[in-house]
Amino acid sequence: MDGSDRGGKRENGEGAAVKPTLRTIAELTGLAVTTVSRALGGAPQIALETRQRVQQVAEEIGYLPDRAAQRLRTGRTNVITLVLDPHEEILGFSTSLIRGLTEALRETPYHLVVTPHFADVPSIDPVRRIIRNRMADAVVFSRTEPFDERVKLLLEHDFPFVCHGRTELGTPHPYVDFDNFSFAYEATRRLIANGRRRLAIILPPRRFTFFQHIQYGFMTAVRESGVAFEVIEDVDLDSSAEDIRASVFARMALADPPDGYVCGGEVSALAVMAALSDRGLTPGTDVGIVAKQTSGLFDLVRPQVDTIYEDISGAGLQMGRILLAAMSGGNAADLQIVQPPKLNFIAAS
């Protein structure tokens, strides 16, 4: 075989293009059709070298599986759905999470499909639709609540999933989370170590689990030290940047304004910095800031402020690996990861 048939569709006797099939790949590789099918499906029983060779030939000839027939035959879609909730809290959250997930799925037969979820629709609706219509083999989602209805529904249906964030449900389930308690605790301690004596924090919406973690970390640190504190009540991390800026701008004109802010995201930190600048104050000097950093943006912000890094892309990679393990029957209690914060205290003490 000289490979002259590769690189495109074959032609039948009348010159019409013929769609490549499993049999086409079998003829080109010298393998049985069943072996080709299992190799394309990522079966671990097939040698890695054989799987890679079959995949290469499939790509060269433009082979595309008939997903409808595949679903009827196996009951599988080879689709993993990421349910995304658009929000501004974390810059680049969606692209970073997708980057990590796709890296984990690279050598598998699974394709990642994004399903949007909007704030005016109950979060359980897209998950219920995916399960009912069997639109995917597994689900990925984020922004969990303590007794998350999505988690309960997926557990009831024994439907594979992994979430970014924990719950307080008694049944173990796969998740990857960030240690938001340690983030808030270390951020607050940093401000106190730099001489700040009245601290403020902008929290997530109360319905999310990480609201409790961030609040507890902040409150633990301020109570240990005895410094004054306040929780900003009229905005949260889901508020628009302009609303956060306006809130902080107004607060800084009142008596006993905060001299240090803990910001749970880059957007809120930029809004706080804008408000301080509008008041003629220098962020990081007149008023301290510690921000959660998830992108390279704050490396370019001047004046520089202290940050604590959360690796969203790394979380996506871990979530993809955990999901594959869950789909292979892994023990849910062993499929749980909490990422530690990475301190990036670059501002002068």
Side-chain angles (χ1 to χ4, degrees), residues 53-281:
R53 180 160 61 98
V54 169
Q55 187 65 48
Q56 180 180 352
V57 171
E59 292 177 359
E60 288 176 355
I61 67 174
Y63 168 77
L64 293 174
D66 186 333
R67 298 209 176 278
Q70 185 181 64
R71 179 175 176 179
L72 288 172
R73 184 175 65 255
T74 66
R76 295 168 53 194
T77 65
N78 282 351
V79 169
I80 291 174
T81 293
L82 169 62
V83 181
L84 272 179
D85 180 357
H87 59 88
E88 295 183 354
E89 171 216 336
I90 298 178
L91 286 177
F93 178 85
S94 300
T95 54
S96 296
L97 197 66
I98 291 171
R99 184 183 307 116
L101 285 166
T102 52
E103 177 63 26
L105 301 176
R106 278 182 67 179
E107 301 298 327
T108 75
Y110 295 106
H111 299 265
L112 187 68
V113 174
V114 175
T115 297
H117 164 249
F118 299 99
D120 59 346
V121 176
S123 63
I124 198 171
D125 281 8
V127 175
R128 183 182 288 118
R129 186 170 64 254
I130 290 166
I131 295 174
R132 182 176 60 244
N133 298 324
R134 197 68 193 189
M135 297 165 60
D137 297 329
V139 177
V140 183
F141 56 94
S142 64
R143 293 163 71 83
T144 53
E145 301 179 14
F147 300 97
D148 201 293
E149 294 296 326
R150 297 168 297 180
V151 173
K152 289 193 286 187
L153 181 67
L154 290 160
L155 288 173
E156 289 170 3
H157 285 80
D158 195 24
F159 199 95
F161 73 95
V162 64
C163 49
H164 187 251
R166 285 168 276 179
T167 69
E168 295 181 2
L169 295 170
T171 305
H173 61 83
Y175 66 75
V176 174
D177 199 7
F178 178 69
D179 189 349
N180 279 293
F181 170 89
S182 293
F183 155 72
Y185 182 80
E186 296 296 343
T188 307
R189 296 266 299 174
R190 175 63 171 179
L191 291 169
I192 295 168
N194 283 345
R196 310 300 177 180
R197 291 296 175 261
R198 185 174 187 85
L199 308 184
I201 188 169
I202 303 171
L203 290 170
R206 288 181 174 271
R207 68 183 181 276
F208 296 128
T209 308
F210 79 120
F211 165 88
Q212 301 175 7
H213 299 161
I214 291 182
Q215 182 186 52
Y216 186 38
F218 176 73
M219 296 303 299
T220 300
V222 296
R223 285 170 175 165
E224 285 178 353
S225 66
V227 300
F229 69 91
E230 59 188 78
V231 175
I232 298 178
E233 298 285 356
D234 59 332
V235 292
D236 57 39
L237 292 180
D238 274 9
S239 300
S240 70
E242 175 52 31
D243 285 346
I244 295 173
R245 187 210 66 81
S247 173
V248 174
F249 181 81
R251 177 64 187 92
M252 296 306 292
L254 303 178
D256 299 321
D259 62 358
Y261 281 86
V262 176
C263 300
E266 289 162 319
V267 172
S268 61
L270 290 172
V272 170
M273 294 176 72
L276 297 177
S277 297
D278 291 346
R279 284 291 180 194
L281 300 169

Side-chain angles (χ1 to χ4, degrees), residues 297-340:
L297 175 64
F298 262 66
D299 295 335
L300 305 175
V301 169
R302 300 295 184 270
Q304 290 183 300
V305 298
D306 290 317
T307 62
I308 296 178
Y309 182 65
E310 178 181 0
D311 185 1
I312 302 298
S313 182
L317 179 63
Q318 291 174 321
M319 290 171 71
R321 290 172 175 170
I322 281 178
L323 184 59
L324 292 172
M327 296 172 75
S328 298
N331 184 355
D334 298 327
L335 304 177
Q336 301 173 340
I337 294 176
V338 177
Q339 291 180 303

Side-chain angles (χ1 to χ4, degrees), residues 10 18-29 33 57 61:
R10 291 183 169 186
V18 178
K19 180 180 177 181
T21 65
L22 292 176
R23 185 170 298 281
T24 310
I25 301 173
E27 292 174 355
L28 292 171
T29 59
V33 172
V57 171
I61 67 174

